[in-house]
Amino acid sequence: MLSQKENDLLTRVGPCTPMGEVMRRYWLPALLAEEIPAPDCPPVRVRLLGEDLVAFRDSQGRIGLLAEHCAHRGTSLFFGRNEDCGLRCIYHGWKYDVDGNVLETPAEPAGSEFGKKLRHVAYPCQEVAGMIFCYMGPTEKQPVLPRYEWASLAPDTICPVKSYLECNYLQGIEGDFDSSHTSFLHNNSIRDMERLKRDGAPVLEAESTGYGMRAVSIRKAEGERIYVRTSPYIMPSFSIVPGPPTAKFEDDDIRGFRFWVPIDDTTSWLYILNMRRKSFAAEERQTLRSWVDSDYRRIRNAANDYLQDRERQRTASFTGIDAVNPAEQDGCATESMGAICDRSREHLGYSDVTIIALRKMLLRAVSDVAEGKDPPHVIRDLRESDFSRLRSIKRLLPAGMAWQQIFEEIGPNDG
Ligand code: FES
């Protein structure tokens, strides 16, 4: 368990909060590229780390992410006109470019230099792999976006999906490092179920890495073997979990890079960047997105009790929630803890050792930033940013073999 103070430290992400400062040292997903698909298309609202913002794509295709409320007298720029390389407020016509410069103040007297003295809040953005990343921290601390596997993949081999989570981000990502729950919550929905069911109390280990940490689970498996699964935690709140994103895919080559992004303290986005070597067909993309609606809300959500089927639960499925994507079942488990889980009331056991390690690592990152240091995995040099071989791994090994040998085979740059 955590003290109330530690829980607050890890879960509060607004401006000037300790964890909010940590999060602001990294490039974070702000929205999907498809939400602002073309130059001069309508702007969209973005709420991120407790800040209200507006994203737009200008006439030249450049992306702007501005504070939502006009610097003049606060009207929402969401209602603005996106035209001629800028976003124009509909109240008095002030116009902003993607960098937050005030280009025009047409209600001021001719020749007024008023707008030149102002700079609206604007965060730098970059579009990669169908997603738009932004940096919200101090300019002088801006890192590079590391070159993960997806950074260089062809657009037809990636399929990003996002889904809304009605709770704090930490509840979401803790689930990715809680291997034992897969033997229960995801019963009937992932392909490794037989192996996972065979041993619901795996041996767990956590190891510090340059990018964050690696969680390892080791289960007894058939034929005197062990079944090892490893999952990287990538600072500040990203992960890769083993296996394809849904049992509907036979293709074991599909991987999902996951980003848990705080909207504010009590709601989050989960971005899953699905990728593989060959192209996704249109119907495969449809399947990968079929569990969320056009507003990226899960079809199974708290308001409908996750469409749980008690008869299925009694006869066929551990949960009665037969999901397309395991994230639907995770949503039930994590949202039902409450908007911000009270970790001072937990009773942690052996199955939580990787969660404990994760929290310690995040608390260290909070202390580092408070002491003026960089948190882990802040990369400033492109030559040191190649994380293209970072993977989640699942392997059957002879009993007694050390799981570390997997990484001797595949090389050190899984992290
Ligand atoms: S409030 Fe936006 S221009 Fe006046």
Short mmCIF file of all heavy atoms in Angstrom, two decimals, residues 156-163 243-249 251 254-256 272-276 278-293 296 324-328:
data_model
loop_
_atom_site.label_atom_id
_atom_site.label_comp_id
_atom_site.label_asym_id
_atom_site.label_seq_id
_atom_site.Cartn_x
_atom_site.Cartn_y
_atom_site.Cartn_z
N ASP A 156 0.39 1.55 -43.70
CA ASP A 156 -0.55 0.43 -43.83
C ASP A 156 -0.25 -0.71 -42.85
O ASP A 156 -1.02 -1.66 -42.74
CB ASP A 156 -0.58 -0.10 -45.28
CG ASP A 156 0.77 -0.56 -45.75
OD1 ASP A 156 1.79 -0.13 -45.17
OD2 ASP A 156 0.82 -1.38 -46.69
N THR A 157 0.86 -0.62 -42.12
CA THR A 157 1.19 -1.67 -41.15
C THR A 157 0.92 -1.24 -39.71
O THR A 157 1.28 -1.94 -38.78
CB THR A 157 2.67 -2.10 -41.27
OG1 THR A 157 3.48 -0.96 -40.91
CG2 THR A 157 3.00 -2.55 -42.67
N ILE A 158 0.33 -0.07 -39.56
CA ILE A 158 -0.01 0.39 -38.20
C ILE A 158 -1.50 0.71 -38.11
O ILE A 158 -2.12 1.07 -39.10
CB ILE A 158 0.80 1.64 -37.78
CG1 ILE A 158 0.65 2.74 -38.83
CG2 ILE A 158 2.24 1.31 -37.52
CD1 ILE A 158 1.30 4.01 -38.44
N CYS A 159 -2.04 0.53 -36.93
CA CYS A 159 -3.46 0.81 -36.73
C CYS A 159 -3.66 1.33 -35.29
O CYS A 159 -3.86 0.54 -34.37
CB CYS A 159 -4.29 -0.45 -36.97
SG CYS A 159 -6.05 -0.19 -36.72
N PRO A 160 -3.56 2.63 -35.10
CA PRO A 160 -3.75 3.17 -33.75
C PRO A 160 -5.23 3.25 -33.36
O PRO A 160 -6.07 3.57 -34.20
CB PRO A 160 -3.13 4.57 -33.83
CG PRO A 160 -3.18 4.96 -35.26
CD PRO A 160 -3.24 3.70 -36.08
N VAL A 161 -5.50 2.94 -32.11
CA VAL A 161 -6.87 3.01 -31.57
C VAL A 161 -6.76 3.71 -30.22
O VAL A 161 -5.77 3.53 -29.51
CB VAL A 161 -7.44 1.59 -31.33
CG1 VAL A 161 -8.87 1.67 -30.85
CG2 VAL A 161 -7.34 0.74 -32.57
N LYS A 162 -7.76 4.52 -29.87
CA LYS A 162 -7.72 5.05 -28.51
C LYS A 162 -9.06 4.80 -27.82
O LYS A 162 -10.09 4.65 -28.48
CB LYS A 162 -7.34 6.52 -28.49
CG LYS A 162 -8.40 7.52 -28.87
CD LYS A 162 -7.80 8.94 -28.75
CE LYS A 162 -8.86 10.00 -28.66
NZ LYS A 162 -8.33 11.37 -28.56
N SER A 163 -9.01 4.73 -26.50
CA SER A 163 -10.24 4.48 -25.75
C SER A 163 -10.19 5.25 -24.43
O SER A 163 -9.12 5.45 -23.84
CB SER A 163 -10.43 2.98 -25.48
OG SER A 163 -9.45 2.50 -24.62
N GLY A 243 1.60 -10.74 -26.72
CA GLY A 243 0.49 -11.35 -27.45
C GLY A 243 -0.26 -10.40 -28.35
O GLY A 243 -0.11 -9.19 -28.26
N PRO A 244 -1.08 -10.97 -29.26
CA PRO A 244 -1.90 -10.15 -30.15
C PRO A 244 -2.97 -9.42 -29.35
O PRO A 244 -3.30 -9.80 -28.23
CB PRO A 244 -2.52 -11.17 -31.10
CG PRO A 244 -2.48 -12.45 -30.37
CD PRO A 244 -1.33 -12.39 -29.43
N PRO A 245 -3.56 -8.35 -29.93
CA PRO A 245 -4.47 -7.50 -29.17
C PRO A 245 -5.81 -8.14 -28.89
O PRO A 245 -6.57 -7.67 -28.05
CB PRO A 245 -4.64 -6.29 -30.09
CG PRO A 245 -4.32 -6.78 -31.45
CD PRO A 245 -3.33 -7.86 -31.30
N THR A 246 -6.16 -9.19 -29.59
CA THR A 246 -7.44 -9.82 -29.38
C THR A 246 -7.38 -11.26 -29.88
O THR A 246 -6.63 -11.57 -30.80
CB THR A 246 -8.58 -9.07 -30.10
OG1 THR A 246 -9.65 -9.96 -30.34
CG2 THR A 246 -8.15 -8.46 -31.42
N ALA A 247 -8.17 -12.11 -29.26
CA ALA A 247 -8.20 -13.51 -29.67
C ALA A 247 -8.72 -13.67 -31.08
O ALA A 247 -8.61 -14.73 -31.69
CB ALA A 247 -9.06 -14.30 -28.69
N LYS A 248 -9.33 -12.61 -31.64
CA LYS A 248 -9.86 -12.70 -33.01
C LYS A 248 -8.73 -12.74 -34.04
O LYS A 248 -8.97 -12.98 -35.21
CB LYS A 248 -10.78 -11.52 -33.29
CG LYS A 248 -12.08 -11.57 -32.49
CD LYS A 248 -13.08 -10.55 -32.97
CE LYS A 248 -14.33 -10.53 -32.12
NZ LYS A 248 -15.06 -11.77 -32.04
N PHE A 249 -7.51 -12.45 -33.60
CA PHE A 249 -6.38 -12.51 -34.54
C PHE A 249 -5.54 -13.75 -34.28
O PHE A 249 -5.09 -13.97 -33.16
CB PHE A 249 -5.50 -11.27 -34.39
CG PHE A 249 -6.06 -10.08 -35.11
CD1 PHE A 249 -6.98 -9.26 -34.50
CD2 PHE A 249 -5.68 -9.81 -36.42
CE1 PHE A 249 -7.51 -8.17 -35.16
CE2 PHE A 249 -6.21 -8.72 -37.09
CZ PHE A 249 -7.12 -7.90 -36.46
N ASP A 251 -2.81 -14.05 -35.90
CA ASP A 251 -1.48 -13.58 -36.23
C ASP A 251 -0.71 -13.15 -34.99
O ASP A 251 -0.98 -12.12 -34.39
CB ASP A 251 -1.65 -12.38 -37.18
CG ASP A 251 -0.32 -11.90 -37.71
OD1 ASP A 251 0.72 -12.35 -37.19
OD2 ASP A 251 -0.35 -11.07 -38.63
N ILE A 254 1.24 -9.55 -34.56
CA ILE A 254 0.68 -8.24 -34.23
C ILE A 254 1.10 -7.86 -32.81
O ILE A 254 0.94 -8.65 -31.88
CB ILE A 254 -0.87 -8.24 -34.30
CG1 ILE A 254 -1.32 -8.59 -35.70
CG2 ILE A 254 -1.42 -6.87 -33.90
CD1 ILE A 254 -2.81 -8.59 -35.85
N ARG A 255 1.61 -6.65 -32.70
CA ARG A 255 2.00 -6.17 -31.38
C ARG A 255 1.29 -4.86 -31.09
O ARG A 255 0.93 -4.13 -32.01
CB ARG A 255 3.51 -5.95 -31.33
CG ARG A 255 4.30 -7.22 -31.43
CD ARG A 255 5.78 -6.94 -31.40
NE ARG A 255 6.22 -6.15 -32.53
CZ ARG A 255 6.36 -6.63 -33.75
NH1 ARG A 255 6.07 -7.88 -33.98
NH2 ARG A 255 6.76 -5.86 -34.74
N GLY A 256 1.12 -4.57 -29.83
CA GLY A 256 0.47 -3.31 -29.45
C GLY A 256 1.35 -2.54 -28.48
O GLY A 256 1.69 -3.04 -27.41
N ILE A 272 -3.65 2.46 -28.11
CA ILE A 272 -2.99 1.21 -28.47
C ILE A 272 -2.54 1.34 -29.92
O ILE A 272 -3.38 1.52 -30.81
CB ILE A 272 -3.92 0.00 -28.31
CG1 ILE A 272 -4.47 -0.10 -26.89
CG2 ILE A 272 -3.18 -1.29 -28.68
CD1 ILE A 272 -5.46 -1.24 -26.68
N LEU A 273 -1.25 1.28 -30.11
CA LEU A 273 -0.72 1.38 -31.47
C LEU A 273 -0.43 -0.04 -31.95
O LEU A 273 0.60 -0.63 -31.62
CB LEU A 273 0.54 2.24 -31.46
CG LEU A 273 1.21 2.55 -32.80
CD1 LEU A 273 0.21 2.95 -33.87
CD2 LEU A 273 2.22 3.67 -32.61
N ASN A 274 -1.40 -0.60 -32.70
CA ASN A 274 -1.23 -1.95 -33.24
C ASN A 274 -0.30 -1.89 -34.44
O ASN A 274 -0.40 -0.99 -35.27
CB ASN A 274 -2.58 -2.51 -33.68
CG ASN A 274 -3.56 -2.61 -32.53
OD1 ASN A 274 -3.39 -3.41 -31.63
ND2 ASN A 274 -4.60 -1.78 -32.53
N MET A 275 0.58 -2.88 -34.54
CA MET A 275 1.52 -2.87 -35.68
C MET A 275 1.94 -4.30 -36.02
O MET A 275 1.87 -5.20 -35.18
CB MET A 275 2.74 -2.04 -35.33
CG MET A 275 3.43 -2.48 -34.07
SD MET A 275 4.66 -1.28 -33.54
CE MET A 275 4.68 -1.59 -31.80
N ARG A 276 2.34 -4.47 -37.27
CA ARG A 276 2.90 -5.74 -37.69
C ARG A 276 3.65 -5.56 -39.00
O ARG A 276 3.65 -4.48 -39.56
CB ARG A 276 1.82 -6.81 -37.81
CG ARG A 276 0.88 -6.59 -38.96
CD ARG A 276 -0.03 -7.80 -39.09
NE ARG A 276 -1.04 -7.55 -40.08
CZ ARG A 276 -2.15 -8.27 -40.20
NH1 ARG A 276 -2.39 -9.26 -39.37
NH2 ARG A 276 -3.02 -8.00 -41.13
N LYS A 278 3.14 -7.05 -42.06
CA LYS A 278 2.32 -6.92 -43.28
C LYS A 278 1.18 -5.92 -43.06
O LYS A 278 0.88 -5.54 -41.93
CB LYS A 278 1.80 -8.28 -43.71
CG LYS A 278 0.87 -8.93 -42.74
CD LYS A 278 0.41 -10.29 -43.27
CE LYS A 278 -0.61 -10.87 -42.33
NZ LYS A 278 -0.99 -12.23 -42.59
N SER A 279 0.53 -5.56 -44.17
CA SER A 279 -0.53 -4.55 -44.11
C SER A 279 -1.75 -5.04 -43.34
O SER A 279 -2.06 -6.24 -43.36
CB SER A 279 -1.00 -4.19 -45.51
OG SER A 279 0.06 -3.75 -46.27
N PHE A 280 -2.47 -4.11 -42.72
CA PHE A 280 -3.77 -4.43 -42.16
C PHE A 280 -4.82 -4.25 -43.26
O PHE A 280 -4.86 -3.22 -43.93
CB PHE A 280 -4.12 -3.48 -41.01
CG PHE A 280 -3.37 -3.77 -39.74
CD1 PHE A 280 -2.36 -2.93 -39.29
CD2 PHE A 280 -3.67 -4.90 -39.00
CE1 PHE A 280 -1.67 -3.20 -38.12
CE2 PHE A 280 -2.99 -5.19 -37.82
CZ PHE A 280 -1.98 -4.34 -37.39
N ALA A 281 -5.67 -5.27 -43.43
CA ALA A 281 -6.79 -5.14 -44.37
C ALA A 281 -7.87 -4.28 -43.70
O ALA A 281 -7.90 -4.14 -42.47
CB ALA A 281 -7.35 -6.51 -44.70
N ALA A 282 -8.78 -3.73 -44.53
CA ALA A 282 -9.82 -2.83 -44.01
C ALA A 282 -10.65 -3.52 -42.93
O ALA A 282 -10.95 -2.93 -41.88
CB ALA A 282 -10.71 -2.36 -45.15
N GLU A 283 -11.00 -4.80 -43.15
CA GLU A 283 -11.85 -5.47 -42.15
C GLU A 283 -11.07 -5.76 -40.86
O GLU A 283 -11.65 -5.80 -39.77
CB GLU A 283 -12.49 -6.76 -42.72
CG GLU A 283 -11.58 -7.80 -43.26
CD GLU A 283 -11.18 -7.56 -44.72
OE1 GLU A 283 -11.34 -6.45 -45.26
OE2 GLU A 283 -10.68 -8.53 -45.31
N GLU A 284 -9.76 -5.93 -40.98
CA GLU A 284 -8.95 -6.13 -39.78
C GLU A 284 -8.90 -4.83 -38.95
O GLU A 284 -8.98 -4.85 -37.73
CB GLU A 284 -7.53 -6.56 -40.15
CG GLU A 284 -7.48 -7.97 -40.70
CD GLU A 284 -6.07 -8.36 -41.12
OE1 GLU A 284 -5.38 -7.54 -41.77
OE2 GLU A 284 -5.67 -9.50 -40.81
N ARG A 285 -8.78 -3.71 -39.65
CA ARG A 285 -8.80 -2.42 -38.94
C ARG A 285 -10.13 -2.24 -38.22
O ARG A 285 -10.19 -1.76 -37.09
CB ARG A 285 -8.62 -1.26 -39.93
CG ARG A 285 -7.23 -1.14 -40.45
CD ARG A 285 -7.07 -0.03 -41.47
NE ARG A 285 -5.74 -0.10 -42.01
CZ ARG A 285 -4.66 0.39 -41.41
NH1 ARG A 285 -4.79 1.05 -40.29
NH2 ARG A 285 -3.46 0.24 -41.93
N GLN A 286 -11.18 -2.66 -38.92
CA GLN A 286 -12.51 -2.54 -38.31
C GLN A 286 -12.60 -3.36 -37.03
O GLN A 286 -13.12 -2.90 -36.01
CB GLN A 286 -13.54 -3.05 -39.30
CG GLN A 286 -14.71 -2.15 -39.47
CD GLN A 286 -15.53 -2.55 -40.66
OE1 GLN A 286 -15.44 -3.68 -41.15
NE2 GLN A 286 -16.34 -1.64 -41.13
N THR A 287 -12.07 -4.57 -37.07
CA THR A 287 -12.09 -5.43 -35.88
C THR A 287 -11.29 -4.79 -34.75
O THR A 287 -11.72 -4.75 -33.59
CB THR A 287 -11.50 -6.81 -36.20
OG1 THR A 287 -12.29 -7.40 -37.22
CG2 THR A 287 -11.47 -7.71 -34.99
N LEU A 288 -10.12 -4.24 -35.09
CA LEU A 288 -9.27 -3.65 -34.06
C LEU A 288 -9.92 -2.44 -33.39
O LEU A 288 -9.58 -2.09 -32.27
CB LEU A 288 -7.92 -3.24 -34.66
CG LEU A 288 -6.98 -4.39 -35.00
CD1 LEU A 288 -5.80 -3.92 -35.86
CD2 LEU A 288 -6.45 -5.06 -33.74
N ARG A 289 -10.89 -1.81 -34.10
CA ARG A 289 -11.54 -0.62 -33.55
C ARG A 289 -12.98 -0.88 -33.11
O ARG A 289 -13.67 0.05 -32.68
CB ARG A 289 -11.56 0.49 -34.60
CG ARG A 289 -10.17 0.94 -34.97
CD ARG A 289 -10.17 1.90 -36.11
NE ARG A 289 -8.83 2.44 -36.31
CZ ARG A 289 -8.54 3.40 -37.16
NH1 ARG A 289 -9.47 3.94 -37.89
NH2 ARG A 289 -7.31 3.83 -37.28
N SER A 290 -13.42 -2.13 -33.23
CA SER A 290 -14.85 -2.40 -33.07
C SER A 290 -15.34 -2.27 -31.63
O SER A 290 -16.54 -2.26 -31.38
CB SER A 290 -15.17 -3.80 -33.58
OG SER A 290 -14.46 -4.75 -32.80
N TRP A 291 -14.44 -2.15 -30.68
CA TRP A 291 -14.86 -2.10 -29.27
C TRP A 291 -15.01 -0.68 -28.75
O TRP A 291 -15.35 -0.47 -27.59
CB TRP A 291 -13.89 -2.90 -28.40
CG TRP A 291 -12.44 -2.52 -28.58
CD1 TRP A 291 -11.64 -2.78 -29.66
CD2 TRP A 291 -11.62 -1.80 -27.67
NE1 TRP A 291 -10.39 -2.26 -29.48
CE2 TRP A 291 -10.34 -1.67 -28.26
CE3 TRP A 291 -11.83 -1.27 -26.40
CZ2 TRP A 291 -9.29 -1.02 -27.63
CZ3 TRP A 291 -10.77 -0.62 -25.77
CH2 TRP A 291 -9.52 -0.50 -26.39
N VAL A 292 -14.74 0.32 -29.63
CA VAL A 292 -14.98 1.72 -29.25
C VAL A 292 -15.92 2.36 -30.26
O VAL A 292 -15.99 1.94 -31.41
CB VAL A 292 -13.68 2.54 -29.15
CG1 VAL A 292 -12.80 2.07 -28.02
CG2 VAL A 292 -12.91 2.53 -30.46
N ASP A 293 -16.64 3.42 -29.82
CA ASP A 293 -17.56 4.11 -30.74
C ASP A 293 -16.83 5.28 -31.42
O ASP A 293 -15.61 5.45 -31.27
CB ASP A 293 -18.84 4.54 -30.02
CG ASP A 293 -18.58 5.61 -28.95
OD1 ASP A 293 -17.50 6.24 -28.99
OD2 ASP A 293 -19.44 5.81 -28.08
N TYR A 296 -14.63 7.37 -29.36
CA TYR A 296 -13.58 6.60 -28.70
C TYR A 296 -13.98 6.17 -27.29
O TYR A 296 -13.13 5.95 -26.43
CB TYR A 296 -12.25 7.39 -28.65
CG TYR A 296 -11.83 7.90 -30.01
CD1 TYR A 296 -11.92 9.26 -30.33
CD2 TYR A 296 -11.36 7.04 -30.98
CE1 TYR A 296 -11.55 9.73 -31.58
CE2 TYR A 296 -10.98 7.50 -32.24
CZ TYR A 296 -11.08 8.85 -32.52
OH TYR A 296 -10.70 9.31 -33.76
N VAL A 324 -13.78 -8.07 -27.17
CA VAL A 324 -12.97 -8.13 -28.39
C VAL A 324 -11.52 -7.85 -28.01
O VAL A 324 -10.60 -8.53 -28.44
CB VAL A 324 -13.43 -7.06 -29.41
CG1 VAL A 324 -12.49 -7.01 -30.60
CG2 VAL A 324 -14.86 -7.32 -29.84
N ASN A 325 -11.34 -6.85 -27.14
CA ASN A 325 -10.00 -6.47 -26.69
C ASN A 325 -9.94 -6.64 -25.17
O ASN A 325 -10.86 -6.18 -24.47
CB ASN A 325 -9.72 -5.01 -27.09
CG ASN A 325 -8.27 -4.63 -26.87
OD1 ASN A 325 -7.74 -4.77 -25.77
ND2 ASN A 325 -7.62 -4.17 -27.92
N PRO A 326 -8.89 -7.25 -24.64
CA PRO A 326 -8.80 -7.41 -23.18
C PRO A 326 -8.92 -6.09 -22.43
O PRO A 326 -9.28 -6.07 -21.25
CB PRO A 326 -7.41 -8.04 -22.97
CG PRO A 326 -7.06 -8.65 -24.28
CD PRO A 326 -7.74 -7.86 -25.36
N ALA A 327 -8.65 -4.97 -23.09
CA ALA A 327 -8.77 -3.66 -22.43
C ALA A 327 -10.20 -3.40 -21.96
O ALA A 327 -10.43 -2.60 -21.05
CB ALA A 327 -8.32 -2.55 -23.37
N GLU A 328 -11.17 -4.07 -22.56
CA GLU A 328 -12.56 -3.91 -22.12
C GLU A 328 -12.75 -4.50 -20.72
O GLU A 328 -13.46 -3.95 -19.89
CB GLU A 328 -13.51 -4.58 -23.11
CG GLU A 328 -13.46 -3.97 -24.50
CD GLU A 328 -14.27 -4.78 -25.48
OE1 GLU A 328 -15.49 -4.59 -25.55
OE2 GLU A 328 -13.67 -5.63 -26.17
#
